[in-house]
Amino acid sequence: MRPSIEPVLAVLVCSLAAAAALGCYHVGDSGVAGPDSGTDADSDADSDADTDADSDADSDSDVDTDTFTCDELPVYCCAPSCPCLANGTACMPTHFSGEDGKGECVIPAGEGECWITAECELGDFCAGAFVCGCDMDCSWEGTGVCATSAANCCDGDEDCADDYFCMELDDGPATCHGALQFPACWTDEECGSGACVGAEPCPCDAYCVGQPGHCDNWG
């Protein structure tokens, strides 16, 4: 007698049903997805790139462009192009003229005195003079006297007399030189916005005459 195949078919149908319920299918079944591999095959890539560039630049050159006219100056002030209006006065650069371009009208210095180095002979400087700023209040201003601009050797300012300082030199030992008021100068740094022209320091061990220069932003 031929064995019945119904029990076998029943087992096969149950196995297939269980596999379907678990998401398992025979490879090659048409129209049915294969098993889930658990791997995300998303190939999207974020290609957005920030191409913004900060082109901001600080163009502030920090240059003082303030100017003044002769009419704006007080009667006791002056400039190379604005002469003094008061009779008997002369326009003298102040300690601050290298920055503001203004001078002060003063009574000319008496005999043996000076306001600025330009009033002294070659090789001398005006020692001890001080001209207050045009728009400033100073506790004192007054004339000085002409003195030799270069003196003894030094190791520091304490080795120099009043109105002198110890200047380091490139071509000789440090030497006491006169402390100058604008527009007389030894270096560009003393001229504010200008340059020092014609300065000739004299080393203490050389036979020469020290000659202060002149700031080119005055007169």
Side-chain angles (χ1 to χ4, degrees), residues 20-210:
L22 295 175
C24 301
Y25 302 92
H26 291 288
V27 177
D29 285 352
S30 176
V32 179
D36 185 0
S37 64
T39 302
D40 185 2
D42 184 4
S43 61
D44 291 344
D46 185 2
S47 61
D48 184 13
D50 185 5
T51 58
D52 293 341
D54 185 2
S55 60
D56 292 342
D58 185 2
S59 59
D60 184 4
S61 59
D62 197 20
V63 175
D64 185 2
T65 57
D66 291 343
T67 58
F68 59 87
T69 64
C70 294
D71 293 339
E72 295 173 339
L73 292 176
V75 67
Y76 54 85
C77 294
C78 57
S81 59
C82 305
C84 293
L85 300 179
N87 292 332
T89 60
C91 185
M92 290 294 166
T94 77
H95 186 72
F96 309 96
S97 293
E99 300 295 339
D100 63 20
K102 302 174 183 178
E104 185 180 7
C105 297
V106 299
I107 301 297
E111 185 177 355
E113 298 179 341
C114 57
W115 282 111
I116 56 175
T117 293
E119 297 177 319
C120 300
E121 295 182 356
L122 182 69
D124 288 349
F125 80 108
C126 189
F130 181 79
V131 185
C132 186
C134 170
D135 301 317
M136 300 181 182
D137 292 326
C138 301
S139 59
W140 177 88
E141 74 173 4
T143 58
V145 295
C146 295
T148 182
S149 63
N152 55 285
C153 299
C154 57
D155 293 321
D157 291 343
E158 65 277 3
D159 296 329
C160 302
D162 291 343
D163 300 316
Y164 290 82
F165 71 103
C166 189
M167 181 190 295
E168 296 289 339
L169 301 175
D170 294 333
D171 57 352
T175 303
C176 295
H177 279 75
L180 307 176
Q181 177 170 300
F182 183 88
C185 58
W186 294 115
T187 64
D188 290 342
E189 287 74 18
E190 299 170 81
C191 294
S193 60
C196 185
V197 179
E200 297 179 2
C202 181
C204 55
D205 61 350
Y207 185 74
C208 59
V209 175

